[in-house]
């Protein structure tokens, strides 16, 4: 099989990863893979079963057996399904966000997700966004981007998303929840969010999204070109 293009995008929440990943994937003609949606689907399944996260053994058992898959749609998109159905917007509510971050610390929960992500990308290529994509899931891809933004910008973006989704919230509550999830996602032992020198780092705070996507596409093109020249 020819090697597929895999672009890794990591970074904390509220830096524009999803929007950027979607547009970059269109530009590069590969599907976009939202790995956060996979962990969110796992959490939704655990919550729907009424399992208390404090009961660690039961929560891990439910999380590792949740029927989360990736389905290739007719238009080429990779859809996250739970029990055979597309997960929809329910995975975005604050309760699910909190549970997701708590369940994502368990290595057993991550193993199957990583397997599904590798399988899908090997078959179709992908722009993959998450927290551990360039460090753990696809450490060998030469295309690694770390998106970041100032805290106030991230909080405002997240608040606007919640308001658009009909969730009543205020800035302080959003800031507190982002800070708590950031700390957990970065401090956990299993696949923490981490940036190293192999990443192309971009601060999106004051940038136009299209300009960010253009910068990334140019970087992917240049790296691909350099590789092709090396191997010819
Ligand atoms: O990107 P997001 O906000 O949808 O991610 C939801 C949660 O899942 C967040 O707490 C981090 C976690 N996550 C992870 O641990 N690894 C990934 N590859 C993607 C998300």
């Amino acid at each position: 099989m020819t090697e597929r293009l895999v672009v890794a995008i990591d970074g904390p929440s509220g830096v524009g990863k999803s929007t950027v990943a979607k547009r970059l994937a269109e530009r590069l003609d590969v599907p976009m893979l939202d790995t956060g949606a996979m962990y969110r689907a796992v959490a939704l399944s655990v919550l729907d079963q009424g399992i208390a996260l404090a009961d660690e053994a039961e929560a891990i058992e439910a999380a590792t057996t949740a029927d989360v898959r990736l389905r290739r749609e007719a238009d080429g998109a990779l859809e996250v399904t739970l029990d055979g159905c597309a997960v929809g917007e329910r995975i975005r509510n604050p309760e699910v966000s909190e549970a997701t971050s708590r369940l994502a610390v368990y290595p057993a929960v991550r193993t199957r997700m990583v397997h599904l992500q590798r399988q899908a990308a090997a078959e179709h290529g992908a722009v993959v966004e998450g927290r551990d994509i360039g460090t753990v899931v696809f450490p060998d891809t030469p295309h690694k981007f770390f998106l970041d933004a100032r805290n106030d910008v991230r909080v405002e973006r997240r608040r606007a998303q919640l308001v658009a989704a009909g969730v009543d919230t205020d800035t302080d509550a959003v800031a507190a929840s982002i800070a708590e999830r950031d700390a957990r996602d970065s401090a956990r032992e299993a696949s923490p969010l981490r940036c190293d020198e192999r990443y192309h780092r971009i601060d999106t705070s004051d940038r136009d999204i299209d300009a960010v996507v253009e910068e990334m596409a140019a970087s992917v093109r240049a790296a691909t070109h350099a590789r092709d020249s090396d191997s010819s």
Side-chain angles (χ1 to χ4, degrees), residues 9-14 17-18 34-40 91-92 96-105 110 113-114 117 128-133 137 158 161 181-182 184-185 188 190-193:
I9 305 179
D10 289 309
S13 53
K17 290 195 305 289
S18 297
D34 174 357
T35 63
M38 299 171 75
Y39 290 97
R40 286 171 178 273
I91 59 166
R92 308 277 162 205
V96 176
S97 300
E98 159 76 12
T100 307
S101 161
R102 290 176 61 183
L103 289 166
V105 305
R110 310 192 66 83
M113 298 300 113
V114 170
Q117 290 155 19
V128 191
E129 63 111 331
R131 304 290 190 289
D132 58 343
I133 309 306
V137 188
R158 182 73 189 132
Q161 269 171 2
R181 287 196 292 131
D182 273 358
R184 205 182 284 126
D185 295 339
R188 69 183 178 215
S191 311
L193 173 65

Side-chain angles (χ1 to χ4, degrees), residues 5-56:
L5 174 68
V6 175
V7 177
I9 305 179
D10 289 309
S13 53
V15 297
K17 290 195 305 289
S18 297
T19 314
V20 164
K22 220 172 280 169
R23 293 194 199 174
L24 184 63
E26 277 165 22
R27 287 277 292 268
L28 301 173
D29 200 24
V30 288
M32 179 267 212
L33 177 47
D34 174 357
T35 63
M38 299 171 75
Y39 290 97
R40 286 171 178 273
V42 166
L44 180 63
S45 170
V46 174
L47 293 176
D48 276 353
Q49 293 175 63
I51 290 161
L53 299 193
D55 185 340
E56 209 172 287

Side-chain angles (χ1 to χ4, degrees), residues 41-134:
V42 166
L44 180 63
S45 170
V46 174
L47 293 176
D48 276 353
Q49 293 175 63
I51 290 161
L53 299 193
D55 185 340
E56 209 172 287
E58 211 184 335
I60 292 176
E61 168 66 18
T64 49
T65 52
D67 185 17
V68 173
R69 297 180 200 213
L70 288 170
R71 186 171 70 198
R72 175 97 158 148
E73 301 295 312
D75 65 359
L78 287 170
E79 182 88 57
V80 178
T81 64
L82 174 62
D83 298 324
C85 301
V87 285
E89 284 306 301
R90 275 185 72 210
I91 59 166
R92 308 277 162 205
N93 80 40
E95 195 195 356
V96 176
S97 300
E98 159 76 12
T100 307
S101 161
R102 290 176 61 183
L103 289 166
V105 305
Y106 298 119
V109 175
R110 310 192 66 83
T111 304
R112 188 158 160 272
M113 298 300 113
V114 170
H115 173 72
L116 292 173
Q117 290 155 19
R118 288 181 178 151
Q119 205 176 33
E123 199 170 333
H124 312 291
V127 172
V128 191
E129 63 111 331
R131 304 290 190 289
D132 58 343
I133 309 306

Side-chain angles (χ1 to χ4, degrees), residues 182-201:
D182 273 358
R184 205 182 284 126
D185 295 339
S186 303
R188 69 183 178 215
E189 233 168 87
S191 311
L193 173 65
R194 203 156 279 167
C195 181
D196 61 36
E197 72 292 341
R198 293 173 306 163
Y199 279 90
H200 178 147
R201 195 178 184 126

